[in-house]
Amino acid sequence: MTAKSSVVILGLARQGKALARFFAAQGWRVTVSDMHEPAALQDAMHELSDLPLHYALGGHPLSLLDECDLFCTSGGVPTDLPIVQEAARRGIPLSNDAQEFMIRCPAPIVGITGSAGKTTTTTWVGKMLTEAGFTTWVGGNIGNPLISDLASIRPTDRVVMELSSFQLELMHVSPSIAGVLNITPNHLDRHKTMEAYSAAKANIVTHQHADDIAVLGYDEPRARGLATMTPAQIRYFSGTVEVDEGAFLQGATLVLRRQGRQSAVCERSDLHVRGYHNVMNALAAITLADAAGAPPAAMRRAIATFTGVEHRLEVVRCKDGVLWVNDSIATAPERVLAALHAFDEPLILLAGGRDKNLPWQEFAQIAVQRVRVIILFGEAAALIHGHIETALAGADQERVVLEEVVAAGTLENAVHEAARRARPGDVVLLSPGGTSFDAFRDFAARGDRFREWVAAL
């Protein structure tokens, strides 16, 4: 590309800002377009004020495409916008920060996706590779957009990227080591169908090469099924079968098997995070870290010191015998079920937020048998309540433990309603099942406020 090359970037948030800075440094003509008006974007524009950027704010005029060589979207920008569709019709290459990074990155990349568990697994793999002595860069859909670090990354380093379906949707490159934990209903408000959602996830392996490695969740049919869609070498992780290549649970031991030789990495009791889903995350991390060059001893050290990630079953406080737990990252009903199964104690569940057009039936059927009090907040409160009423009507009443459903309106009110009802020995669990966007910037902001309100009790 010459210095006259022109890129249009949709979205002036975290990823858009990183892309703008990167392309400006490369001498490109950079235009950033955002639906928000200038007054709402002053902080971001000030942050980039040292760059010679062009802006189109308050809308996305199609005229931006007239001299456009590359069209990049931020993760939150839907691909059915008219300007995105028109760019595709004109044959303008579509991309995003993750793809532009992967095209240029000199170091091996471990890319990780899944409907659930990818943040924990990505973080864990990063710690295992760091323990193995590699300079390790962790980011992507979490933390820092890695394209900001590109100039500092060396060929001998390791990169661990969390990749969302939003990022993967446009991508025509795949990482050399790709992990797919599971593919279950999520983000159907954006992708509309499971077929479209699954196709986006599949992009993490479909562009791999014969000497690359795909790590797939054996126990989840859609993830396992991707083995037929990649030319890469296949390794599995499983909690139910002893796989030939990969990691599995043998009794209470997490075992790595490679080329006919196996190593006991750790015992299940060595994990400092709750729940069977975290056993699966650990098995995935072991398989991926092994593929990237970490020995079992480094994995053991990382497991011994790993206590989880923020907003994922994070213990906030123990007050008057009541444990308060922040699981704000649980933005799908399936993730709430994983959280419920992590506790044997009586539960008060705070659920709600904004629905993603996901199925709530199984959640409701299990919640009425495992949760003492359900406190609902946010836009999805009435929807969830309806599913709970249906589940109660069809339940074996001898197995129902649910005593009360409370409509709290806001999360802050939900915290106070929980405090009034909590008894010593209870766990108050924020595990919403919906996104935060009805009231908060993101799940992290929601979790932060929850911690503040709990601390103030």
Side-chain angles (χ1 to χ4, degrees):
M1 290 290 185
T2 69
K4 295 181 181 179
S5 296
S6 176
V7 60
V8 173
I9 300 168
L10 253 59
L12 191 55
R14 182 175 61 99
Q15 295 166 349
K17 289 187 293 185
L19 271 172
R21 190 167 289 282
F22 172 77
F23 279 114
Q26 304 301 307
W28 288 53
R29 184 182 192 276
V30 179
T31 301
V32 181
S33 182
D34 196 291
M35 289 299 293
H36 292 92
E37 297 293 336
L41 299 168
Q42 287 303 308
D43 288 346
M45 294 171 68
H46 177 73
E47 188 178 333
L48 301 174
S49 59
D50 59 317
L51 304 177
L53 305 181
H54 305 269
Y55 291 99
L57 306 178
H60 302 311
L62 297 184
S63 59
L64 292 174
L65 303 177
D66 292 344
E67 297 181 359
C68 176
D69 299 303
L70 179 66
F71 189 89
C72 292
T73 64
S74 297
V77 176
T79 56
D80 59 0
L81 287 181
I83 192 170
V84 182
Q85 296 292 306
E86 177 63 15
R89 190 191 69 79
R90 296 190 191 186
I92 299 170
L94 304 181
S95 194
N96 56 37
D97 67 297
Q99 177 159 268
E100 294 303 310
F101 170 78
M102 283 207 288
I103 289 170
R104 297 167 174 83
C105 180
I109 297 173
V110 180
I112 299 169
T113 198
S115 304
K118 56 185 178 291
T119 298
T120 297
T121 304
T122 299
T123 306
W124 224 335
V125 172
K127 290 183 180 300
M128 290 177 178
L129 292 172
T130 299
E131 285 289 347
F134 294 106
T135 298
T136 306
W137 305 81
V138 179
N141 192 51
I142 57 172
N144 185 46
L146 287 164
I147 200 163
S148 302
D149 299 316
L150 190 58
S152 302
I153 297 175
R154 300 168 300 175
T156 53
D157 295 347
R158 294 293 185 271
V159 175
V160 189
M161 293 184 74
E162 177 183 316
L163 293 166
S164 72
S165 61
F166 297 173
Q167 292 169 306
L168 289 166
E169 190 173 23
L170 292 177
M171 294 178 69
H172 56 76
V173 296
S174 297
S176 57
I177 302 170
V180 183
L181 310 182
N182 42 60
I183 305 176
T184 55
N186 206 341
H187 299 298
L188 297 186
D189 53 338
R190 163 83 171 251
H191 296 288
K192 310 305 180 190
T193 67
M194 271 304 293
E195 290 73 20
Y197 175 60
S198 298
K201 290 290 192 186
N203 275 340
I204 198 171
V205 298
T206 52
H207 307 292
Q208 288 187 293
H209 303 106
D211 55 351
D212 292 338
I213 297 170
V215 172
L216 308 176
Y218 186 89
D219 302 342
E220 200 285 299
R222 289 190 182 92
R224 186 174 70 245
L226 293 183
T228 63
M229 299 178 66
T230 178
Q233 304 166 37
I234 304 298
R235 300 181 191 176
Y236 293 108
F237 64 93
S238 173
T240 60
V241 302
E242 295 190 3
V243 299
D244 291 333
E245 293 284 320
F248 56 89
L249 192 61
Q250 188 176 71
T253 305
L254 281 69
V255 174
L256 173 68
R257 178 180 287 166
R258 287 277 293 110
Q259 298 178 331
R261 306 173 70 175
Q262 66 183 53
S263 304
V265 177
C266 69
E267 297 299 307
R268 185 169 177 174
S269 58
D270 295 327
L271 305 182
H272 299 300
V273 286
R274 286 187 180 233
Y276 177 76
H277 64 291
N278 276 319
V279 176
M280 297 302 292
N281 291 338
L283 291 168
I286 288 167
T287 313
L288 289 160
D290 170 67
M299 300 174 194
R300 278 191 285 273
R301 290 194 296 272
I303 287 168
T305 57
F306 184 70
T307 57
V309 298
E310 281 190 313
H311 312 296
R312 169 62 79 198
L313 294 181
E314 174 193 13
V315 173
V316 173
R317 184 182 188 187
C318 188
K319 180 183 186 318
D320 300 329
V322 176
L323 189 68
W324 293 77
V325 178
N326 169 25
D327 195 40
S328 181
I329 201 172
T331 60
E334 178 195 19
R335 301 317 302 152
V336 184
L337 290 177
L340 298 184
H341 288 302
F343 296 94
D344 295 321
E345 300 91 335
L347 288 167
I348 297 177
L349 174 66
L350 280 56
R354 175 173 291 171
D355 179 47
K356 293 188 284 187
N357 194 27
L358 300 179
W360 288 89
Q361 291 87 344
E362 184 183 3
F363 155 81
Q365 291 163 2
I366 293 175
V368 301
Q369 298 178 24
R370 296 188 68 96
V371 180
R372 187 172 71 80
V373 180
I374 298 176
I375 302 176
L376 301 173
F377 64 91
E379 289 180 4
L383 171 71
I384 300 170
H385 199 168
H387 284 291
I388 292 168
E389 292 294 333
T390 301
L392 285 171
D396 178 351
Q397 295 305 308
E398 292 186 359
R399 302 181 65 182
V400 171
V401 303
L402 184 64
E403 300 172 4
E404 186 180 12
V405 180
V406 180
T410 67
L411 177 56
E412 183 176 13
N413 288 341
V415 169
H416 292 290
E417 294 290 349
R420 294 188 190 100
R421 291 164 173 79
R423 306 166 183 164
D426 282 352
V427 172
V428 179
L429 172 66
L430 169 65
S431 192
T435 73
S436 59
F437 303 130
D438 56 339
F440 302 93
R441 181 184 69 253
D442 52 28
F443 74 82
R446 178 170 63 188
D448 288 342
R449 294 310 306 276
F450 174 73
R451 290 189 296 210
E452 292 171 9
W453 290 322
V454 171
L457 289 172

